[in-house]
């Protein structure tokens, strides 16, 4: 690929990323900081989940609300996604998933389908649904779910530092949904999913990984910006080595929600341990860049480079950074 062609492709990707609704919506989180005030980004709010100390250790608590139009159009898929999102958030904090609690407000048919989706995900990931609340409701449907996990050594964005390697791990089996920017690799991974996600807590315990974030509806670049924004760090991502499914355009992959996709920060010298842990499970993983202190997220294709997000000019979540 020539430099001119690569530059043109990067410009197109950057344009798609900049306009990605999943990324732009993250600025709404700033309202939480405006009302609740400063945060240390570990005990919440800030990271994928909040680390809460107990008398015997610590747990990670998190929650997700599903987009109502998605619930109405595909209640089974929304139910599955509610569990999946919480499992991914829990393990991205280095925790072992313990259980899911949910709330559903919908018609009987929609609620039944949503609960069936939750049940399937619960079995696939070996995380029990331990309670919740159900309201029969004929108006716009609503689903929320909340996850709990046990953690020893939390993976936290507050551990990110220049010089660490950025690893992207992903399940690239399957195909993109035609109607929604979601890559459901679990359809191909099947029962392997439960142990796939538990690689992250194992890496946390070993110290080979110190920070992580799941790639969510903000897409890869948006999720990466959220991982780095606490310290206004930067990185240049090498798209030539980025794990990518066959047949999926780079811009689509960078702005989708993969069922298994994680960003991990590894201390210098521990990269091979991280890569081996995923590759031993037939998951793709690669070192795609090195964390720096520029505050800019760049993309590289061959010799061509472009800035996809500049944290020195625009925060992602707008959460306060004064505490820490």
């Amino acid at each position: 690929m020539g430099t001119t062609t690569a530059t043109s492709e990067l410009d197109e990707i950057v344009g798609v990323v900049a306009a990605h609704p999943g990324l732009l919506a993250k600025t709404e989180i700033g309202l939480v900081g405006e009302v609740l005030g400063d945060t240390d980004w570990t005990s919440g709010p800030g990271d994928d989940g909040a680390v809460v100390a107990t008398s015997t250790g610590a747990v990670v608590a998190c929650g997700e609300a599903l987009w109502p139009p998605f619930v109405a159009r595909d209640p089974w898929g929304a139910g599955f996604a509610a569990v999946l999102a919480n499992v991914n958030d829990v393990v991205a904090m280095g925790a072992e998933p313990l259980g899911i609690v949910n709330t559903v407000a919908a018609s009987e048919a929609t609620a039944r389908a949503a609960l069936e989706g939750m049940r399937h995900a619960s079995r696939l990931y070996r995380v029990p649904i331990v309670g919740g609340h159900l309201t029969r409701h004929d108006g716009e449907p609503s689903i929320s779910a909340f996850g709990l996990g046990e953690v020893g050594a939390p993976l936290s964005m507050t551990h990110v530092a220049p010089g660490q390697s950025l690893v992207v791990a992903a399940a690239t089996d399957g195909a993109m949904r035609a109607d929604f920017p979601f890559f459901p690799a679990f359809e191909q991974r099947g029962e392997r999913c439960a142990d796939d996600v538990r690689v992250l807590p194992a890496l946390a315990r070993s110290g080979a990984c110190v920070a992580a974030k799941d790639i969510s509806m903000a897409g890869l670049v948006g999720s990466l910006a959220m991982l780095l924004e606490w310290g206004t760090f930067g990185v240049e991502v090498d798209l030539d080595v980025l794990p990518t499914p066959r047949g999926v355009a780079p811009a689509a992959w960078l702005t989708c929600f993969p069922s298994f996709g994680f960003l991990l920060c590894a201390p210098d010298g521990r990269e091979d341990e991280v890569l081996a842990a995923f590759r031993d499970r037939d998951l793709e993983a690669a070192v795609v860049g090195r964390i720096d202190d520029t505050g800019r997220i760049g993309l590289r294709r061959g010799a061509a480079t472009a800035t996809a997000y500049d944290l020195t000019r625009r925060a992602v979540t707008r959460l306060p950074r004064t505490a820490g």
Side-chain angles (χ1 to χ4, degrees):
M1 179 183 292
T3 301
T4 301
T5 302
T7 300
S8 176
E9 181 188 18
L10 283 180
D11 289 343
E12 180 181 348
I13 291 171
V14 167
V16 172
V17 167
H20 180 40
L23 168 58
L24 299 177
K26 294 300 180 181
T27 61
E28 298 169 6
I29 298 173
L31 176 63
V32 177
E34 293 174 11
V35 176
L36 299 184
D38 290 350
T39 167
D40 64 5
W41 291 66
T42 300
S43 58
D47 221 321
D48 280 319
V51 178
V52 182
T54 70
S55 60
T56 57
V59 296
V60 167
C62 58
E64 295 284 344
L66 276 294
W67 193 42
F70 179 34
V71 178
R73 185 169 65 244
D74 183 3
W76 189 99
F80 189 101
V83 173
L84 168 66
N86 277 284
V87 169
N88 283 352
D89 281 350
V90 165
V91 300
M93 293 295 295
E96 291 282 351
L98 295 177
I100 299 288
V101 178
N102 61 62
T103 63
V104 179
S107 67
E108 181 175 351
T110 297
R112 183 178 297 277
L115 291 170
E116 288 173 349
M118 291 182 186
R119 179 184 62 190
H120 183 65
S122 169
R123 292 173 176 174
L124 201 62
Y125 289 94
R126 296 202 309 268
V127 182
I129 296 174
V130 296
H133 175 82
L134 173 65
T135 297
R136 285 194 55 179
H137 168 64
D138 292 326
E140 187 175 54
S142 166
I143 293 177
S144 295
F146 310 89
L148 187 70
E150 186 175 22
V151 67
L155 301 177
S156 169
M157 64 171 63
T158 62
H159 299 158
V160 177
Q164 294 169 355
S165 291
L166 176 67
V167 174
V168 173
T172 57
D173 322 55
M176 192 80 75
R177 275 185 65 143
D179 62 339
F180 196 71
F182 180 51
F183 190 84
F186 64 84
E187 295 175 349
Q188 301 293 324
R189 300 294 297 176
E191 293 181 355
R192 293 176 290 176
C193 289
D195 290 323
D196 288 348
V197 296
R198 286 167 173 83
V199 170
L200 281 94
L203 289 171
R205 290 190 294 270
S206 73
C209 175
V210 296
K213 183 169 282 291
D214 71 308
I215 300 171
S216 64
M217 284 301 297
L220 189 149
V221 172
S223 300
L224 179 55
M226 293 171 71
L227 175 65
L228 301 180
E229 72 173 334
W230 178 80
T232 319
F233 299 114
V235 68
E236 187 174 83
V237 177
D238 186 350
L239 297 181
D240 291 335
V241 300
L242 177 72
T244 306
R246 290 184 179 181
V248 176
W253 180 238
L254 291 175
T255 52
C256 82
F257 171 23
S259 64
F260 186 97
F262 291 91
L263 307 163
L264 305 98
C265 293
D268 188 36
R270 306 296 297 272
E271 298 89 347
D272 287 346
E273 296 173 60
V274 177
L275 298 179
F278 291 107
R279 291 172 180 171
D280 284 349
R281 296 201 52 76
D282 284 331
L283 294 162
E284 291 196 44
V287 175
V288 300
R290 188 170 291 273
I291 307 299
D292 58 44
D293 60 2
T294 64
R296 290 187 293 275
I297 296 173
L299 302 178
R300 183 170 75 252
R301 173 78 80 187
T305 62
T307 298
Y309 204 95
D310 189 344
L311 287 163
T312 68
R313 301 181 63 183
R314 181 163 61 107
V316 186
T317 64
R318 298 189 300 111
L319 284 171
R321 296 191 179 113
T322 56

